[in-house]
Amino acid sequence: MSTTEFFFKYHGLGNDFIVLDCRQSGGDIDAEYSRWLCDRRRGVGADGVLSLLPSESGMARMVVHNADGSVAEMCGNGLRCAVKYLVDHSGEKPEHIDVETGAGLLSCAPGYGQDGVAEVEVSMGPARLVASNLPSGASGQPFVGAPVPGHSGLRGYAVNMGNPHLVLLDQPLEDAGRLGPELERHPGFPDRTNVEFVRVDKDGLTVVVWERGCGLTQACGTGACAAAVAAVLAKRLPADAWLRVTLPGGDLRIRVPSDLSDVRLRGPVSFVFTGVVPDLPGR
């Protein structure tokens, strides 16, 4: 058994991830190892760890480990990082690849530059307004432009993009660090939630995300999708058009169909560096 593990560091608009290719061993990491890897002083440093495991239906199965050791169902920026790793190390230039995630099998279209994959367009699947990890799971009714219980003056949109989101339109962006930690653990969201603080502009959105299990991040792909869905539902921006969503780390493009059936995300991805760390005991 080897005593070291190769890792690869990537980022999507500053939302950074450690990629571990576990397809040969088939073994995943645990919460303690994830927390250590993500520690920016004692480990490698990242917002999350992406474990790539064997898949019968896709090129790999991606498991998203948050910086706090919890596991997320899906991550749009992380998926683009995983696609760049998988394609750049395949020796081929496919037009599409499928990756298995906690939100299902997702189709991804790489865009190529001088250094391999430069951007990725992802078919994110449907935006769901009724789901077990949203307030609608208990009520059966979509939480759309509704008052947030326990928070006077706040109205939100609960959107499932494979993972849960609470979108606050017209909420000051600077409130993210103050309100985010409490809203992440709002009792209406049984698995906790990501929280989007959104300013609606004439030509798009400006968004700050408090990410479940990570805190404030430079970007969040599923959060950008959820924010765009809320803006379309509120009739503040048009459906079936590529919308600009500006996050602290840069811009993503999101397309929300009028029936919410298949939200599309397009954005850049970059390789940072590679290295070795101690192997997970027992692997």
Side-chain angles (χ1 to χ4, degrees), residues 226-282:
V229 168
V232 168
L233 289 172
K235 301 187 184 306
R236 304 284 294 277
L237 290 175
D240 301 305
W242 284 102
L243 305 175
R244 171 193 56 79
V245 179
T246 298
L247 300 125
D251 290 357
L252 293 172
R253 297 287 171 175
I254 310 295
R255 184 178 184 273
V256 180
S258 55
D259 62 359
L260 309 184
S261 60
D262 185 15
V263 178
R264 297 278 178 149
L265 176 153
R266 182 190 297 154
V269 60
S270 300
F271 169 70
V272 185
F273 62 84
T274 187
V276 294
V277 289
D279 197 4
L280 178 64

Side-chain angles (χ1 to χ4, degrees), residues 3-19:
T3 58
T4 59
E5 176 87 7
F6 279 95
F7 72 87
F8 299 82
K9 182 78 176 286
Y10 292 85
H11 79 87
L13 296 180
N15 193 194
D16 58 339
F17 299 91
I18 297 163
V19 174

Side-chain angles (χ1 to χ4, degrees), residues 135 139 141-149 151 153-158 166-169 186:
S139 68
Q141 298 298 316
F143 191 90
V144 175
V148 179
H151 292 270
L154 289 187
R155 302 181 74 87
Y157 293 75
L166 174 62
V167 182
L168 305 173
L169 297 181
H186 192 282

Side-chain angles (χ1 to χ4, degrees), residues 49-63:
V49 180
L50 309 175
S51 293
L52 301 180
L53 298 169
S55 172
E56 294 183 359
S57 53
M59 198 168 182
R61 177 167 67 92
M62 181 185 76
V63 178

Side-chain angles (χ1 to χ4, degrees), residues 126-149:
R128 296 184 174 91
L129 304 181
V130 177
S132 61
N133 56 8
L134 302 180
S136 58
S139 68
Q141 298 298 316
F143 191 90
V144 175
V148 179

Side-chain angles (χ1 to χ4, degrees), residues 14-33:
N15 193 194
D16 58 339
F17 299 91
I18 297 163
V19 174
L20 298 178
D21 192 339
C22 307
R23 288 178 291 174
Q24 284 194 337
S25 69
D28 200 358
I29 65 173
D30 61 16
E32 181 181 2
Y33 197 66

